[in-house]
Amino acid sequence: MSEAHFSLMVAVDAKSQMHRGIATYRLLTGVPPADGDTATDSNLDRHILASILAAATMDGGSLPEKAGLSGDELAALLEEYFPSVEVKLAEQLSAPKCEEDDEIVMLRDLLLEQRSTEGDIGSWLAAMIARRAIEPGHLWGALGLRNRGELSRLLSRHFAPLATRNVNNMRWKRFFYRMLCENEGLVMCKTPVCKQCDDFNLCFGEESGESRMTEPRRDVLLQAARPVVAGDSPSELSQRSAIGQSSEKASPDLVSRAGR
């Protein structure tokens, strides 16, 4: 059977970019993000990796760069955890590697020193977390996860020595940078007592919110469920059809091998 290509339209709006993330996660796992299984450690690992790759595709550009991996590392990750999917990176593999951001390198090295699981996944996750940490918003959101609890579970599993040091439940991104400062002998905080600090909420504030890939899925379902009524213009019907189709398209870098 010939390869099934999951290409995207060149021009996509913000919502379509979100649909790309949903479609990528579905391509990797066979289910939408909301239904991802995390009951066991192995299932948690697959969910986390799929979520990060899905979030990376939503940002556009080079998938390996947005995910924090080289092309070879991404291909190896897919081969081990998602064998039904292959990655097409011929041009990107031959391109010169971009100079790494010092901030990313420092956080990646911190995580690498604190690994608590065997195999390549710890190295891959260290690189992926460090790269996604420079994106705006909560870290769990930048990783495409469903909530902060999934991030905490990820860190406790794969980077336990570091995770156990966050005894006061500080926001993970702030905690990482605090650890980096301490390792360099620097002081990040205005006051040694957190409760007396004006930035308390920045470090310990609530990290609730909706996953980047949850709300769009709900919108698509609601749009698809709306009955056609008299007065709907052809353009409205065409737009609804396009929305439904865009939700089925994943990253152009990913190709399904199912059925081959």
Side-chain angles (χ1 to χ4, degrees):
M1 181 180 292
S2 62
E3 293 177 340
H5 291 266
F6 293 81
S7 60
L8 286 164
M9 294 181 294
V10 174
V12 292
D13 59 22
K15 187 171 289 187
S16 295
Q17 289 281 45
M18 295 178 184
H19 296 164
R20 178 188 292 181
I22 297 171
T24 298
Y25 185 96
R26 186 190 291 271
L27 173 64
L28 292 168
T29 67
V31 298
D35 297 336
D37 179 19
T38 61
T40 65
D41 286 340
S42 60
N43 287 347
L44 173 69
D45 290 346
R46 293 186 78 251
H47 166 70
I48 287 169
L49 293 171
S51 297
I52 298 174
L53 293 177
T57 65
M58 294 167 65
D59 294 341
S62 166
L63 177 57
E65 189 282 321
K66 295 295 183 179
L69 301 173
S70 68
D72 287 332
E73 287 171 330
L74 179 54
L77 183 157
L78 289 168
E79 184 65 29
E80 181 171 346
Y81 286 91
F82 309 101
S84 64
V85 174
E86 67 182 7
V87 66
K88 306 193 73 172
L89 297 167
E91 295 182 2
Q92 296 177 34
L93 283 174
S94 61
K97 189 173 182 180
C98 298
E99 185 176 347
E100 291 186 299
D101 186 285
D102 289 342
E103 187 176 318
I104 296 174
V105 172
M106 291 174 64
L107 179 52
R108 183 188 64 200
D109 289 347
L110 172 67
L111 291 166
L112 286 174
E113 293 171 358
Q114 303 291 322
R115 282 177 294 174
S116 53
T117 50
E118 301 293 331
D120 291 325
I121 187 170
S123 299
W124 293 333
L125 284 172
M128 296 169 92
I129 293 170
R131 171 57 184 84
R132 300 305 298 171
I134 68 172
E135 298 295 330
H138 298 315
L139 180 55
W140 66 266
L143 294 171
L145 302 178
R146 293 176 293 198
N147 51 59
R148 186 182 191 271
E150 289 187 340
L151 174 56
S152 296
R153 186 176 169 193
L154 151 64
L155 296 172
S156 294
R157 168 165 161 71
H158 291 285
F159 307 97
L162 182 63
T164 55
R165 295 172 66 182
N166 190 7
V167 293
N168 293 318
N169 205 30
M170 180 181 283
R171 288 182 176 181
W172 284 113
K173 192 183 293 189
R174 298 283 293 188
F175 174 74
F176 289 156
Y177 289 111
R178 183 171 185 172
M179 293 298 99
L180 288 173
C181 287
E182 290 184 0
N183 287 347
E184 295 296 321
L186 303 175
V187 178
M188 182 182 77
C189 304
K190 298 177 181 179
T191 174
V193 182
C194 288
K195 292 185 179 180
Q196 297 176 5
C197 179
D198 293 336
D199 292 333
F200 181 85
N201 287 334
L202 291 177
C203 294
F204 298 94
E206 185 180 9
E207 285 191 82
S208 62
E210 197 163 33
S211 170
R212 295 177 68 190
M213 291 179 284
T214 298
E215 186 173 4
R217 177 172 181 261
R218 181 184 62 196
D219 290 345
V220 170
L221 294 176
L222 291 175
Q223 182 74 16
R226 186 172 75 84
V228 177
V229 296
D232 277 345
S233 67
S235 62
E236 288 174 327
L237 295 175
S238 175
Q239 183 179 28
R240 289 167 60 187
S241 176
I243 290 175
Q245 292 175 9
S246 68
S247 67
E248 296 299 323
K249 298 179 180 180
S251 167
D253 292 324
L254 300 177
V255 179
S256 173
R257 282 205 299 252
R260 288 175 57 188

